[in-house]
Amino acid sequence: SAVPNKRRICRLHWVFAISAFTLTYGAAVTSRCNFVEFKNTDGIAEKGSITLHFGIWKYRSWTLADTASTDPSQIITMEACKDYPDHIEIDPSWRAARAFEVLSLAFVPFVLLLQLALRGRAALDPRSSMVWALEYPTLLFVGVLQGLTLRLLNSRACEDNVLVEELSRRESPAIGIVFKESCKMSSGGRVAICACVLWLATAVTSREAAKGKLNKSIRA
């Protein structure tokens, strides 16, 4: 029964690793313009909601189209992702989120190649504890990098967002739109959390697999 369990852990490890790899790049795509969001709190809220999206690198703007309409989809025209204007202050937490995203994207291919190399070395020398000792902290490290992109939630993109204030002040008087003062996590943030959890799960299964391999080599 021990052998099937070890095989199951190994399979889980690679499922987690491939899923984490995919979600890391998926998070980078979705979080570019859709990491946090602001929803309106009154005005036309009873007829529908308006959501403003902000990402680590860009934001999605909106303009009023037809203020006479009672359909929110007709009142608001959502625009494509845009670069943040020059006057927007990128505070330390925001810069940190950007840096950690870049580091995680750069580090992930190296992690997968390192795993393949370590697994090959372990197949040749199962008694090498150094091989297994390297994999666990490396996977843990990339999971932490991914998780630290959530620093955006503590930045001015989420709290006291100048663009939300500007857009509300410029466009909303005609129909009385008011947005929440603080943001809510959007799809990009949720994908980033999933990627972080999967990297940590990959690290845990790696450690369990290492224990099994080393115990087996010792008994042999």
Side-chain angles (χ1 to χ4, degrees), residues 38 50-54 59-65 75-80 82 163-164 166-173 175 177 179:
F38 290 81
I50 299 172
T51 305
L52 301 179
H53 296 282
F54 296 87
Y59 77 104
R60 192 177 183 192
S61 185
W62 57 274
T63 54
L64 289 180
I75 294 174
I76 297 296
T77 299
M78 301 306 298
E79 300 177 352
K82 296 181 178 180
L163 280 174
V164 173
E166 289 180 355
L167 292 171
S168 299
R169 188 168 58 249
R170 188 181 72 220
E171 307 287 10
S172 66
I175 50 178
I177 306 173
F179 291 94

Side-chain angles (χ1 to χ4, degrees), residues 115-187:
Q115 279 199 89
L116 293 173
L118 290 176
R119 295 289 168 141
R121 174 64 186 275
L124 296 174
D125 184 11
R127 294 177 181 274
S128 176
S129 60
M130 182 191 70
V131 171
W132 298 101
L134 280 173
E135 190 176 66
Y136 173 72
T138 303
L139 293 168
L140 198 62
F141 178 66
V142 75
V144 170
L145 286 178
Q146 184 66 56
L148 286 172
T149 61
L150 296 174
R151 287 288 302 276
L152 190 73
L153 297 173
N154 296 324
S155 73
R156 296 198 64 181
C158 195
E159 301 172 357
D160 300 322
N161 188 307
V162 175
L163 280 174
V164 173
E165 295 176 0
E166 289 180 355
L167 292 171
S168 299
R169 188 168 58 249
R170 188 181 72 220
E171 307 287 10
S172 66
I175 50 178
I177 306 173
V178 177
F179 291 94
K180 294 181 179 180
E181 293 183 359
S182 59
C183 74
K184 178 183 176 182
M185 189 179 298
S186 191
S187 58

Side-chain angles (χ1 to χ4, degrees), residues 201-219:
T202 305
V204 171
T205 52
S206 168
R207 192 170 192 179
E208 291 302 311
K211 288 179 182 178
K213 288 282 186 179
L214 291 175
N215 289 338
K216 182 180 177 180
S217 65
I218 291 170
R219 287 195 300 269

Side-chain angles (χ1 to χ4, degrees), residues 7 15 24 30 35 56 89 92 113 142 147 155 177 198 202 217-218:
R7 289 176 179 172
V15 168
T24 296
T30 54
F35 199 98
I56 293 179
E89 178 187 356
L113 290 175
V142 75
S155 73
I177 306 173
L198 283 170
T202 305
S217 65
I218 291 170

